[in-house]
Amino acid sequence: MKSVPFSDFMNNALYGESGYYMTDRNRFGRSGDFYTSAQVSPIFGRLLALYLLKGAPSGEPLSLVEMGCGDGDLAVSLLLGFIALSDRTQKIRYAGIDRSSVAIARTQERLKSALTVQCSGDRVEWLTCTSVDELMARDSTFRGAFLIGNEVLDALPCERLEVDLAKIPDKFANDSNVFVSRTVREGRVIENHCGDGKSFAMTYTVQPHLNASAYAEAHVFPLVQSGHLSIEGVHQFEAPIFYRPFLQSIVNTLAPRTMILLDYGGETVDVIGDDRPHGSLRGYLKHQLVSPLFSPGNVDITYDVDFSHVCEILEGMGYFVEPLMRQGPFLMGIISNLDDASRVIEEGEYAALKHLVMPGGLGDRFVVCVAHRDKPTV
């Protein structure tokens, strides 16, 4: 038997040679394992295109980088939206980034098919890359572009931690180092060889990853102090240790003028609570919830995004972060500023729009985080 930190297991299960996102399998839509808003309706990309056009600098091409372009669904609806909604003199430059060569090939195929008929002249330029470094090497003029990431953060590997709240001697104590050293344990995945196959289990051990301990100290302990988490019992949660290096790499390399990050989750108090003692870690297979340890490489592994932590990181990098919004109010806010909604929403698309914006579904399940390099002028 051997054991590895959960973050190593998740990284290999998603991005290893035979990882979930790296192989030629259907992941999205009815024949896949889950839907994103981009697969629900092209309205999603169209409304985002309109939002970006409102903030585009006058007289300049609109440059956009999409992190995690997947199968190209959002790329197509964004670019067709730009073409339909912008002035005919407006030029659009798009770069799709995905570490999966399969995703890159699918995005290329989708864009070639969609834009050949729809686009004339040289209004739209696009390219695809496997990293921001490759993009900068190929075309450094994308530095300072807009950036969008739809369901990217939830796919970054996390650490799995277990906190024994009962071992905290005083929930109002100020010695957080005592809290971390006595109560936090790291999740490790154990591989057991059973019969003809493999089974995986989770165990917890002392000395968690340094960044995971820092997350626990900064985000879990205050919840205990405030009374949001009860003092008794064992609580499991996800420590998103790769958010900071991921966002720092984007800022250092691309310096986006505006970032729009959309994902399921909420603020820290939404993601970590007594009502979720086992955290939010889960797997998806054929639109069904399964164990994240089940059949590595064949299952999507995900968890809810702590947007309080995301905002803290971005603000520490000098970005102005707008108040967080749920996807429903955000999209409806774009629609409310339209003189004629029929320019964006076709008559037969209102049922899909409801799915994107209504409470109880994607409308309040997803959060929109908008961050600007320069504070917008009022």
Side-chain angles (χ1 to χ4, degrees), residues 132-167:
V132 292
D133 289 331
E134 181 188 344
L135 173 60
M136 287 295 95
R138 291 176 59 182
D139 191 342
S140 62
T141 61
F142 273 95
R143 184 172 173 84
F146 291 94
L147 181 138
I148 189 165
N150 183 45
E151 294 198 45
V152 173
L153 295 173
D154 70 89
L156 295 179
C158 63
E159 284 295 355
R160 179 75 163 167
L161 297 185
E162 183 178 80
V163 179
D164 190 345
L165 303 179
K167 290 185 178 179

Side-chain angles (χ1 to χ4, degrees), residues 51-374:
Y51 179 86
L52 291 168
L53 283 168
K54 295 286 187 182
S58 178
E60 297 180 22
L62 190 155
S63 297
L64 171 66
V65 176
E66 182 189 0
M67 299 299 299
C69 56
D71 282 5
D73 295 277
L74 182 54
V76 169
S77 59
L78 275 168
L79 292 182
L80 294 184
F82 285 136
I83 294 168
L85 300 169
S86 65
D87 184 273
R88 291 185 179 275
T89 62
Q90 176 77 62
K91 292 189 176 183
I92 312 297
R93 304 171 68 247
Y94 168 88
I97 297 179
D98 203 296
R99 60 194 293 184
S100 167
S101 59
V102 173
I104 290 294
R106 289 176 176 175
T107 297
Q108 291 172 343
E109 182 179 353
R110 293 288 307 281
L111 288 174
K112 287 175 182 177
S113 175
L115 297 180
T116 298
V117 177
Q118 299 282 351
C119 187
S120 60
D122 59 353
R123 273 190 75 189
V124 176
E125 299 175 7
W126 61 270
L127 73 160
T128 55
C129 303
T130 58
S131 69
V132 292
D133 289 331
E134 181 188 344
L135 173 60
M136 287 295 95
R138 291 176 59 182
D139 191 342
S140 62
T141 61
F142 273 95
R143 184 172 173 84
F146 291 94
L147 181 138
I148 189 165
N150 183 45
E151 294 198 45
V152 173
L153 295 173
D154 70 89
L156 295 179
C158 63
E159 284 295 355
R160 179 75 163 167
L161 297 185
E162 183 178 80
V163 179
D164 190 345
L165 303 179
K167 290 185 178 179
I168 301 175
D170 181 353
K171 68 178 180 179
F172 298 107
N174 292 319
D175 189 356
S176 56
N177 289 325
V178 172
F179 163 73
V180 171
S181 63
R182 292 184 181 178
T183 67
V184 179
R185 298 191 298 171
E186 176 192 273
R188 298 184 71 86
V189 176
I190 302 174
E191 178 183 306
N192 291 292
H193 294 272
C194 300
D196 295 331
K198 294 180 180 178
S199 64
F200 296 87
M202 186 82 72
T203 187
Y204 292 88
T205 184
V206 295
Q207 297 180 335
H209 189 287
L210 179 62
N211 291 338
S213 292
Y215 177 82
E217 182 177 340
H219 295 274
V220 179
F221 189 44
L223 296 183
V224 178
Q225 288 182 311
S226 67
H228 178 74
L229 280 177
S230 69
I231 192 65
E232 298 180 355
V234 174
H235 196 99
Q236 295 165 350
F237 63 94
E238 295 74 44
I241 61 172
F242 286 101
Y243 286 2
R244 188 177 299 279
F246 174 74
L247 294 171
Q248 188 71 69
S249 174
I250 290 174
V251 169
N252 290 348
T253 310
L254 292 176
R257 69 171 64 235
T258 295
M259 286 184 265
I260 306 175
L261 303 171
L262 307 98
D263 228 310
Y264 37 77
E267 298 188 55
T268 307
V269 294
D270 302 317
V271 175
I272 301 175
D274 280 336
D275 59 335
R276 312 179 85 178
H278 302 295
S280 62
L281 186 69
R282 57 197 182 271
Y284 283 105
L285 180 64
K286 300 297 181 184
H287 301 279
Q288 300 294 318
L289 283 171
V290 298
S291 167
L293 304 184
F294 174 74
S295 191
N298 296 313
V299 170
D300 178 39
I301 305 174
T302 186
Y303 57 97
D304 282 5
V305 172
D306 180 354
F307 275 99
S308 296
H309 186 44
V310 174
C311 292
E312 173 191 90
I313 293 170
L314 291 173
E315 288 170 350
M317 295 175 184
Y319 274 72
F320 170 78
V321 183
E322 294 185 10
L324 295 172
M325 294 186 69
R326 293 288 167 177
Q327 179 172 289
F330 178 78
L331 295 180
M332 290 304 297
I334 299 172
I335 294 171
S336 68
N337 289 321
L338 290 172
D339 294 328
D340 182 7
S342 65
R343 289 181 59 219
V344 182
I345 308 166
E346 298 175 7
E347 186 175 346
E349 293 181 323
Y350 279 92
L353 176 62
K354 286 184 179 180
H355 193 47
L356 291 170
V357 303
M358 290 295 287
L362 300 181
D364 59 11
R365 187 79 179 88
F366 281 75
V367 171
V368 184
C369 175
V370 180
H372 305 279
R373 187 181 59 200
D374 302 308

